[in-house]
């Protein structure tokens, strides 16, 4: 199977036994949080009022609060997420802090980044957004001519 067995204790702490290395690690999950299937979490992480999707990998020393993380996301070491939406396939590199932000499908957040109130979009999505805004701007000028 996945190589990790998680056991919930009486508190908010989760003890994980790693079959591969025969070692234990510890992370904290608040009562209003949910972890998906095949999630890999390193030690000394905390989750409060958050949803973690399937096949998510989270490095050590991460703090995740009031955040939704969708499937197939990779979060490296020392990342702090507060009130964020992290969409499918996102990679967040080391030592990032994000607050009140949305990270769209496939975006890669560079190491050491600090964002507040941002919507981060992958380059592959920009042409679709540009064609939409050009189309709308053309329609707006037509609408003015028709109102005369």
């Amino acid at each position: 199977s996945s190589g990790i067995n998680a056991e919930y204790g009486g508190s908010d702490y989760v003890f994980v036994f790693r079959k591969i290395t025969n070692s234990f690690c510890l992370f904290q999950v608040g009562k209003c949080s949910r972890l998906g299937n095949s999630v890999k979490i390193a030690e000394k992480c905390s989750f409060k009022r958050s949803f973690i999707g399937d096949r998510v990998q989270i490095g050590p020393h991460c703090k995740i609060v009031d955040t939704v993380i969708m499937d197939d996301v990779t979060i490296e070491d020392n990342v702090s997420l507060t009130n964020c939406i992290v969409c499918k396939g996102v990679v967040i590199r080391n030592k990032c802090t994000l607050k009140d932000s949305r990270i769209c499908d496939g975006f890669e957040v560079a190491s050491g980044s600090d964002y507040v109130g941002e919507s981060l979009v992958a380059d592959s999505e920009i042409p679709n957004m540009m064609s939409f805004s050009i189309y709308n701007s053309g329609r707006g000028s037509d609408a003015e001519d028709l109102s005369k």
Side-chain angles (χ1 to χ4, degrees):
S1 63
S2 67
I4 297 177
N5 291 333
E7 295 181 14
Y8 290 83
S11 66
D12 289 343
Y13 289 93
V14 177
F15 297 91
V16 177
F17 180 70
R18 299 172 188 264
K19 291 180 186 175
I20 297 168
T21 60
N22 290 328
S23 63
F24 285 93
C25 70
L26 178 68
F27 54 91
Q28 184 178 12
V29 179
K31 291 179 183 174
C32 294
S33 292
R34 179 194 175 277
L35 301 178
N37 296 316
S38 300
V39 173
K40 295 181 181 179
I41 302 170
E43 60 190 19
K44 298 184 182 176
C45 293
S46 67
F47 306 91
K48 294 180 183 173
R49 298 175 305 277
S50 295
F51 172 87
I52 312 298
D54 296 338
R55 299 172 304 281
V56 172
Q57 297 181 32
I58 302 174
H61 306 282
C62 291
K63 182 179 179 184
I64 299 171
V65 179
D66 297 324
T67 293
V68 174
I69 299 173
M70 296 182 190
D71 299 343
D72 303 308
V73 170
T74 300
I75 299 172
E76 294 184 351
D77 308 355
N78 297 300
V79 171
S80 176
L81 301 173
T82 305
N83 196 34
C84 292
I85 298 173
V86 181
C87 295
K88 185 176 180 177
V90 168
V91 176
I92 302 175
R93 299 290 178 199
N94 297 319
K95 299 179 182 175
C96 292
T97 301
L98 293 99
K99 183 177 181 183
D100 303 324
S101 295
R102 178 177 173 226
I103 304 96
C104 295
D105 289 4
F107 191 84
E108 182 174 323
V109 180
S111 292
S113 296
D114 189 2
Y115 292 104
V116 177
E118 297 290 336
S119 185
L120 307 174
V121 181
D123 289 340
S124 62
E125 294 296 320
I126 292 174
N128 294 335
M129 292 174 66
M130 289 176 64
S131 63
F132 177 75
S133 63
I134 290 168
Y135 174 78
N136 280 346
S137 65
R139 296 281 296 170
S141 61
D142 289 344
E144 288 179 20
D145 292 338
L146 294 173
S147 67
K148 290 181 182 180

